Amino acid sequence: MVLVFVETEGTSLKKASQEALTYGADLASKLNTECSAIAIGSESGLENTGAYGASKLFAVSGAGLNEFTPEGYSEAIHQVASNNNASIVLISASYTGKSIAPKVAVKLSASLTTGVVAMPNTENGFSVRKTCFSNKAFSDVEVTGEKKVISIVPNSYEIKEFDQNAEVVSSDIDVSSFIKSKSVSIDKVQGKIPLTEAELVVSAGRGLKGPENWGMIEELADVLGAATACSKPVSDMDWRPHSEHVGQTGITIKPNLYIAAGISGAIQHLAGVSSSKVICVINTDPEAPFFKAADYGIVGDAFDVIPKLIARAKELKAS
Amino acid sequence: MNILVCLSAVPDTTTKISFVDNDSKFNTAGVQFIINPYDELALTKALELTEANGGEVTIITVGDASVEPVMRKGLAIGAHKAIRVNTEALDGMHVAKCITSAIEGESFDMILTGRESIDYNGGQVAGILSEMLNMGLVNVVTSLTVEGNTITAVRDIDGGRETVSANMPCVISAQKELCEPRIPNMRGIMQARTKPLTVVEYSDSYAETKYTGYELPPAKQGVKLIDAENAGELIDLLRTEKKIL
Ligand SMILES: Cc1cc2nc3c(=O)[nH]c(=O)nc-3n(C[C@H](O)[C@H](O)[C@H](O)COP(=O)(O)OP(=O)(O)OC[C@H]3O[C@@H](n4cnc5c(N)ncnc54)[C@H](O)[C@@H]3O)c2cc1C
Ligand SMILES: Nc1ncnc2c1ncn2[C@@H]1O[C@H](COP(=O)(O)O)[C@@H](O)[C@H]1O
């Protein structure tokens, strides 16, 4: 069995979990086995796990699972995986997933592969493709363990819909004796599209001169329904929040569209964004290295170009 | 406080990545190796904590003798001593086994790692160590304070941040913002030469994941330039040519 850990956001499955489930269903059919989902502690948003490919949903709750801890969650997944003979556990590389995948792998004595971006090749053994060198390359990894834990990069697998319902198997597991940390408080950025899940991203760099000039970046993002990002110096100078910093030492994203204004395109910046499907660059300097990585380029002043983009996007939206 | 910092040596961030031997090996020719940027933060934070609370910082690296200059830099920044596990690092599980074997019999209040290595980007070692050593784990940490036996850490979560408390011993992985990395000074560099760097062996080279080949991402077709005067055309092209708006 392939077991997929899923998370909900509000009343639906997280997009990254929908992807992981589709991936799990496709992998299970390749291996002639079943795909099941496991959700911990959540009550709503799980109705449609079947539609993304799960034939069974293990809904787990119990003492110690009311809030996220790496120990509690990994133990719950471990128990369900062991009791149901899961050969592969899939975990999306969300921050939650990153904290638990290594622990689940140790508990199950399974091989661990993280950063996976494609369906395994099972023709001759089991080989998976992962990112490495901070997205400057891919590598193929041969996985030999009988059990496997695989963590998948968000936005690497296309979501499909399946015409089925998942049988719900609820269980109560007490993991309280495993827990070693406690959540004190949670601070969520409200109402914004999380950068890692965004399909469209508008980003800007030091070329914008100062934080007071981000109004037009936010407006463009707004009309397009995009998230905002920035280069490292911009977040270092506190012009923008750290959570927007993309690149080798920031967040890695692979949206369908990345618009970069006033960003030179240093190799460390590209490392975080080069897997974007379409890249548009706006820069006054025709020699800016970013143009080499771009699909569309506008050599021009962002202060002049961005308002034109906003105007055209609004026009088309209204028509 | 007795703190262990796991330090990996990685290609400098400006490295142009290429491969040799039929794309089966990373080409290290002319590549400069540095302390993994997140590990540099882990080390600096460890030093801040021991300066405030007393104690020692040990750095540990799994790798052959070629990683020693990078380890010496860690000693120059201020680590008190170093352990090198003399074997090629094969994967996260293998690195964690090497580390647990090398520190057997010692007791650390805290193990600090980077959030991930910027070469293999596993993000694995912290979680594996916490499980193997039965310690608490706080991953991707941007702020860390210690009071008595309790740590309070702020970690990144999807769409925000969470404050977490845990007892020591625990494993913490460092994220950007944890602190300002320190640069070694002349005195540090001189002292580093005589600080103890112990080499230990680990002979088990079993790994269940094996890197068999590498590939660079496909090159872009070339940029299509749009006149700044008609910048709005970009929006039309994204709609019609790319169908993404
Ligand atoms: C260890 C390490 C890790 C790093 N990690 C990251 C990372 O994760 N992410 C990251 O982004 N960087 C990272 N960097 C920094 C990186 O090397 C660059 O310094 C940084 O990306 C530059 O940011 P920028 O393009 O915003 O600024 P600049 O390099 O200053 O570029 C500004 C650009 O704006 C253009 N410009 C100026 N005025 C205008 C205008 N009016 N309209 C349009 N264009 C204009 C200029 O021509 C220029 O190309 C890292 C560096 C190191 C050493
Ligand atoms: N060869 C190594 N020796 C010592 N520590 C390592 C090694 N590789 C990785 N680490 C540590 O584990 C962290 C995460 O690495 P990774 O799991 O490879 O992304 C790094 O930031 C280091 O702190």
Side-chain angles (χ1 to χ4, degrees), chain B residues 160-245:
Chain B
R161 286 197 167 161
E162 179 183 29
T163 305
V164 174
S165 75
N167 286 334
M168 291 196 281
C170 59
V171 179
I172 304 280
S173 81
Q175 161 76 320
K176 185 184 97 114
E177 274 198 22
L178 181 60
C179 52
E180 276 301 314
R182 278 187 201 173
I183 295 158
N185 57 26
M186 214 18 149
R187 196 160 142 256
I189 294 168
M190 299 300 287
Q191 284 176 341
R193 293 190 190 148
T194 54
K195 283 181 179 169
L197 192 163
T198 317
V199 178
V200 301
E201 299 296 330
Y202 185 79
S203 54
D204 185 355
S205 56
Y206 176 74
E208 290 182 349
T209 64
K210 187 168 170 247
Y211 288 78
T212 53
Y214 295 90
E215 198 175 301
L216 294 172
K220 285 274 175 191
Q221 296 288 312
V223 58
K224 182 165 185 169
L225 288 177
I226 295 158
D227 185 15
E229 283 306 306
N230 303 317
E233 195 194 335
L234 175 64
I235 302 289
D236 294 84
L237 290 172
L238 290 172
R239 276 192 149 193
T240 53
E241 263 186 22
K242 300 288 178 187
K243 305 197 168 27
I244 44 177
L245 285 184

Side-chain angles (χ1 to χ4, degrees), chain B residues 6-8 36 38-39 60-62 89 95 99 112-117 120-126:
Chain B
C6 304
L7 214 69
S8 59
N36 186 39
Y38 301 111
D39 304 357
I60 187 163
T61 304
V62 179
V95 166
I99 292 173
L112 275 157
T113 76
R115 158 194 118 173
E116 66 177 26
S117 54
Y120 290 96
N121 306 104
Q124 302 185 347
V125 173

Side-chain angles (χ1 to χ4, degrees), chain A residues 103 111 114 130 133-134 138 140 142 144 180 182-185 187 189 242 245 268 295-297 312, chain B residues 13 119-122 130 134 159 161-163 165 176-177 208 210 212-213 215 220 224 226 236 241:
Chain A
K103 296 179 81 75
S111 320
T114 49
K130 73 179 290 286
F133 297 101
S134 301
F138 297 106
D140 291 315
E142 201 176 286
T144 51
K180 292 193 161 53
K182 204 168 112 250
S183 178
V184 178
S185 63
D187 186 10
V189 189
H242 136 91
H245 157 203
Q268 297 96 345
D295 298 278
Y296 296 105
R312 185 64 185 143
Chain B
T13 56
D119 50 2
Y120 290 96
N121 306 104
S130 74
N134 195 23
R161 286 197 167 161
E162 179 183 29
T163 305
S165 75
K176 185 184 97 114
E177 274 198 22
E208 290 182 349
K210 187 168 170 247
T212 53
E215 198 175 301
K220 285 274 175 191
K224 182 165 185 169
I226 295 158
D236 294 84
E241 263 186 22

Side-chain angles (χ1 to χ4, degrees), chain A residues 201-231:
Chain A
V201 175
V202 179
S203 183
R206 197 147 58 181
L208 256 76
K209 314 278 190 290
E212 66 280 6
N213 298 324
W214 249 263
M216 60 181 185
I217 298 299
E218 294 198 316
E219 193 180 353
L220 179 60
D222 238 29
V223 277
L224 298 178
T228 50
C230 67
S231 66

Side-chain angles (χ1 to χ4, degrees), chain A residues 141-219:
Chain A
V141 180
E142 201 176 286
V143 188
T144 51
E146 211 166 293
K147 290 183 183 165
K148 302 169 184 76
V149 173
I150 294 175
S151 120
I152 306 155
V153 177
N155 275 343
S156 5
Y157 205 71
E158 196 152 335
I159 298 166
K160 274 193 284 196
E161 301 226 352
F162 295 74
D163 186 19
Q164 68 181 19
N165 280 316
E167 175 200 345
V168 180
V169 184
S170 299
S171 60
D172 199 291
I173 301 181
D174 181 352
V175 297
S176 45
S177 64
F178 288 87
I179 288 177
K180 292 193 161 53
S181 59
K182 204 168 112 250
S183 178
V184 178
S185 63
I186 286 181
D187 186 10
K188 284 218 173 186
V189 189
Q190 293 300 329
K192 279 202 148 186
I193 304 169
L195 203 45
T196 44
E197 293 191 12
E199 293 190 351
L200 311 173
V201 175
V202 179
S203 183
R206 197 147 58 181
L208 256 76
K209 314 278 190 290
E212 66 280 6
N213 298 324
W214 249 263
M216 60 181 185
I217 298 299
E218 294 198 316
E219 193 180 353

Side-chain angles (χ1 to χ4, degrees), chain A residues 226-265:
Chain A
T228 50
C230 67
S231 66
K232 179 170 186 285
V234 164
S235 74
D236 284 348
M237 293 182 294
D238 278 334
W239 292 1
R240 297 296 292 175
H242 136 91
S243 56
E244 286 194 358
H245 157 203
V246 291
Q248 184 148 14
T249 47
I251 296 176
T252 298
I253 53 172
K254 36 190 317 188
N256 291 336
L257 173 65
Y258 185 70
I259 299 181
I263 301 178
S264 56

